[in-house]
Amino acid sequence: EIDPDTASCCVANSVSDYVTKALRLASDREYRARVVHAIREQSDRIFNEKMISVEWGKLLTRALAIRVNEAELLSHVGFVHEERHQEAYISQMVEDEQLRWRRSTLLSSILHAH
């Protein structure tokens, strides 16, 4: 189980939140060590996952304004047709869960502010 303080370390909701988190990671050795440990413990969820490679490919090609056909990108990563449908479903589930988490976090911050 990852502690909630560490789990939210690397995702900022604003520029000021980013600065706060970056400064904490830079200045608090114990916190940074916990974050490094948490990332290492969960790294298997990222590495060697084809969908992660596809999403990074999409992000980087958009950021660099490189036109790439999605089918070509999927082929390059090694997707087969059946995996594409399964991964699209999983991707939608992940997006839905992220939206649910953002809403609950926002609600929690509103409730704590009052």
Side-chain angles (χ1 to χ4, degrees), residues 12-111:
N13 297 314
S14 66
V15 172
S16 63
D17 188 32
Y18 174 84
V19 170
T20 300
K21 290 177 183 217
L23 288 173
R24 183 172 183 200
L25 281 169
S27 62
D28 184 339
R29 287 183 181 194
E30 182 182 317
Y31 178 68
R32 183 173 53 250
R34 287 194 335 258
V35 169
V36 167
H37 176 73
I39 290 171
R40 284 187 179 140
E41 287 294 311
Q42 299 295 316
S43 66
D44 64 317
R45 298 174 75 186
I46 296 173
F47 297 113
N48 299 322
E49 290 290 330
K50 291 178 184 177
M51 197 62 195
I52 300 295
S53 298
V54 170
E55 292 303 320
W56 271 107
K58 288 179 184 180
L59 173 73
L60 294 172
T61 54
R62 279 194 309 262
L64 297 171
I66 299 171
R67 290 182 161 260
V68 176
N69 179 319
E70 185 173 342
E72 182 182 337
L73 183 61
L74 290 168
S75 173
H76 184 70
V77 172
F79 264 69
V80 295
H81 185 70
E82 294 80 23
E83 287 179 317
R84 183 175 180 188
H85 291 292
Q86 180 183 12
E87 292 298 332
Y89 174 74
I90 292 169
S91 180
Q92 185 61 52
M93 285 178 33
V94 168
E95 287 177 24
D96 292 345
E97 184 62 22
Q98 288 172 339
L99 181 59
R100 187 197 62 74
W101 179 82
R102 281 189 207 114
R103 287 179 180 155
S104 69
T105 302
L106 177 60
L107 179 60
S108 176
S109 67
I110 290 170
L111 293 174

